[in-house]
Amino acid sequence: MAAPIAIHLEFGGGAELLFNGVKEHHVTLPSQSEPWDVKQLLVWIQRNLLKERPELFVQGDSVRPGILVLINDADWELMGELDYQLQDQDNIVFISTLHGG
Amino acid sequence: MAQEVCSLKAQLKEQEKEIAALKKKLSQLEKSHTSALELHDKVRPLTPLKAKLALSNEDIMRYSRQLLLPELGVQGQLNLSKTSVLVVGCGGLGCPLAQYLAAAGIGRLGLLDYDEVELSNLHRQVLHGEENQGQAKALSAANAARRLNSTVECIPYHLQLSSENALQLIQQYDIVADCSDNVPTRYLVNDACVLSGKPLVSASALRMEGQLTVYNYSGGPCYRCLYPVPPPPETVTNCSDGGVLGVVPGIMGCFQALEVIKIASGQGSSCSQQLVMFDAQDARFRSIKLRPKQAGCAVCGENPSVTKLVDYESFCGSAATDKCRKLNLLPRDQRITVQDYQSIMDKAVPHLLLDVRPLVEVEICHLPFSLNIPLSSLEERKTEHIQLFQERISQLKQQMAGDCRPPVYVICKLGNDSQKAVQVLEKMSGSEVDSIMVKDICGGLMAWAQKIDPTFPQY
Ligand SMILES: [Zn+2]
């Protein structure tokens, strides 16, 4: 059994509007048999934080195009994307790309 | 006494004549000065920018405070003077960018925008003035930049950047700055920069946030490396919908100017493969390390599938403007016009007018007899709002004779959200609330202001 882990979630660039305008969320992921990865985190966010219009946040089992995921201040592409195994105290940021000028 | 008054009046008249003559002379002079800048409505070949061999005494005085920086120095200043920069979009980002590039002594400044100056631009597009309303933004920006530094060659382009003209235009410039306001243009500018090998200094801003990255520069990724698939159009918010605090694009445009100057002068930018995020609310800048150039990228990768410019509006499923899209979700018989609604009011037909805009917009302006429940509250079925709605429907039913369904007319700013709300209310009708007859008002409050009540504010 993997112990519960506490992580810090942040939403920005307008993605926070899907979460009642709240940018920062300190959450604890419950203990489970396998270590938590980002793919499971997305499911957890959908079930626990995201109430309405999930299509504005996820597409298939990943985030929708136009949302950049950062793991501990680095592009998630450098960290293994959906397969990255979450560690206690990780900082995961979801940023919606801006287009205005 | 009377004589004195008479003579003073005559003197005054004389002086007024003189003032009028002076004013006329001044405006003619100013006009001839501004007309010297020729507005380009299509892309034409430019003469190559001549490299300065040395700084003049005037240059030395003008740029002395930056010449003193070892990071810039005389060579850096000479490098600036032989660099040409294309600014795509003369709005909230493009204005401060063009201003600082002109002030710093860039050699040539291409200023592109298809739009004209409007009153609602002035809070953030700070090169334009009240007197420029209706004028091409490109020309207004070019005139302002030239007033600041007449030694900079300013070329205003009043045109829409397209797959047909982008390569020819971008090839003529050394550095490109993306200050545009829509997704198709961002992909178009990126691809044109990759295909012609130009660095792209890109920024964006919305509400209280800004983002900046330098693409296609010193081996780093391009825009498509990061965003291979465009976002679904319904997830994209523009400044006219989401709002923007003027100083936020101001800060990001200044940041773009900084990176352009660093590249042009030879210092180099540190924002390749970096995303700089600015949060104005928390007054915080954050720099994030991005993925490297992607081998599988459709345009800059090893086997690119995009080898010439494509149709970006169809690729993104949206138009290359920041103007609002008009949705058509409802059949004709579920919509009424503002004229229809006016006659409903004139005949005092019992009904409920439901305004589904967010509270912040209702505070700007609203019709006095409307009930406000934001679309998001309807979608989330917020209990207190649904109860309120049900109460108003019950009251309406009592007013009406017989057992017909009470009419509900839904209004918003432009007539998009009102259609979504009608769809939500249709689902609720007869189950979550009493049975109702629900329609939306085409064109919303802005159509009301334009066609029915000219004293109603527009925003
Ligand atoms: Zn690329």
Side-chain angles (χ1 to χ4, degrees), chain B residues 343-396:
Chain B
S343 83
I344 289 167
M345 290 209 346
D346 289 347
K347 290 179 198 148
V349 180
H351 70 279
L352 174 63
L353 178 65
L354 183 67
D355 186 333
V356 293
R357 293 172 303 151
L359 184 61
V360 69
E361 291 184 44
V362 174
E363 280 172 351
I364 297 172
C365 59
H366 60 273
L367 292 173
F369 31 79
S370 59
L371 170 69
N372 173 230
I373 300 179
L375 174 63
S376 60
S377 298
L378 289 176
E379 283 173 336
E380 290 166 31
R381 308 286 200 274
K382 279 219 170 123
T383 320
E384 74 268 27
H385 279 133
I386 302 300
Q387 271 173 6
L388 180 65
F389 183 70
Q390 177 56 47
E391 276 165 30
R392 294 290 292 270
I393 295 297
S394 304
Q395 286 168 14
L396 187 56

Side-chain angles (χ1 to χ4, degrees), chain B residues 128-423:
Chain B
H128 315 305
E130 289 175 3
E131 71 282 9
N132 302 118
Q133 289 177 73
Q135 196 180 56
K137 281 186 187 176
L139 186 62
S140 165
N143 280 325
R146 201 177 52 166
R147 266 198 302 277
L148 180 59
N149 190 344
S150 60
T151 68
V152 173
E153 187 190 344
C154 294
I155 304 171
Y157 297 98
H158 184 54
L159 52 87
Q160 171 97 46
L161 196 68
S162 71
S163 303
E164 286 70 46
N165 61 26
L167 273 180
Q168 197 201 345
L169 181 61
I170 283 174
Q171 274 163 358
Q172 303 188 49
Y173 286 85
D174 300 314
I175 303 171
V176 178
D178 189 346
C179 304
S180 70
D181 56 13
N182 64 81
V183 186
T185 302
R186 290 194 179 266
Y187 279 97
L188 166 63
V189 172
N190 178 70
D191 290 2
C193 283
V194 171
L195 294 175
S196 47
K198 308 290 180 178
L200 172 59
V201 180
S202 177
S204 57
L206 185 71
R207 298 188 186 98
M208 300 278 282
E209 285 180 90
Q211 296 170 352
L212 176 138
T213 300
V214 177
Y215 295 110
N216 196 42
Y217 175 68
S218 73
C222 81
Y223 189 73
R224 272 190 198 256
C225 290
L226 252 74
Y227 310 107
V229 180
E234 65 274 18
T235 65
V236 177
T237 310
N238 58 30
C239 291
S240 48
D241 273 349
V244 62
L245 195 68
V247 64
V248 175
I251 288 167
M252 299 314 293
C254 286
F255 210 132
Q256 273 179 296
L258 175 66
E259 294 311 308
V260 169
I261 288 168
K262 277 156 63 183
I263 295 171
S265 65
Q267 299 168 64
S269 168
S270 34
C271 293
S272 172
Q273 209 187 325
Q274 291 280 330
L275 167 65
V276 180
M277 301 189 293
F278 173 58
D279 185 328
Q281 195 99 58
D282 307 337
R284 187 167 63 149
F285 276 104
R286 239 197 317 190
S287 195
I288 297 295
K289 180 151 202 251
L290 294 172
R291 68 198 68 177
K293 183 183 170 87
Q294 302 288 288
C297 175
V299 66
C300 81
E302 283 160 10
N303 290 304
S305 56
V306 178
T307 52
K308 57 181 176 45
L309 300 178
V310 298
D311 179 343
Y312 293 89
E313 294 196 335
S314 78
F315 174 64
C316 299
S318 57
T321 75
D322 77 331
K323 309 285 183 256
C324 292
R325 300 183 305 142
K326 271 206 160 59
L327 295 180
N328 251 321
L329 304 174
L330 300 177
R332 191 74 212 106
D333 62 352
Q334 268 197 316
R335 314 197 68 185
I336 63 169
T337 63
V338 284
Q339 288 87 352
D340 296 336
Y341 185 68
Q342 189 189 25
S343 83
I344 289 167
M345 290 209 346
D346 289 347
K347 290 179 198 148
V349 180
H351 70 279
L352 174 63
L353 178 65
L354 183 67
D355 186 333
V356 293
R357 293 172 303 151
L359 184 61
V360 69
E361 291 184 44
V362 174
E363 280 172 351
I364 297 172
C365 59
H366 60 273
L367 292 173
F369 31 79
S370 59
L371 170 69
N372 173 230
I373 300 179
L375 174 63
S376 60
S377 298
L378 289 176
E379 283 173 336
E380 290 166 31
R381 308 286 200 274
K382 279 219 170 123
T383 320
E384 74 268 27
H385 279 133
I386 302 300
Q387 271 173 6
L388 180 65
F389 183 70
Q390 177 56 47
E391 276 165 30
R392 294 290 292 270
I393 295 297
S394 304
Q395 286 168 14
L396 187 56
K397 255 184 137 171
Q398 283 170 2
Q399 276 177 45
M400 294 168 60
D403 55 359
C404 64
R405 293 179 302 158
V408 175
Y409 299 107
V410 185
I411 200 161
C412 64
K413 182 186 176 188
L414 292 164
N416 288 339
D417 279 358
S418 58
Q419 297 181 65
K420 294 181 193 163
V422 166
Q423 290 181 325

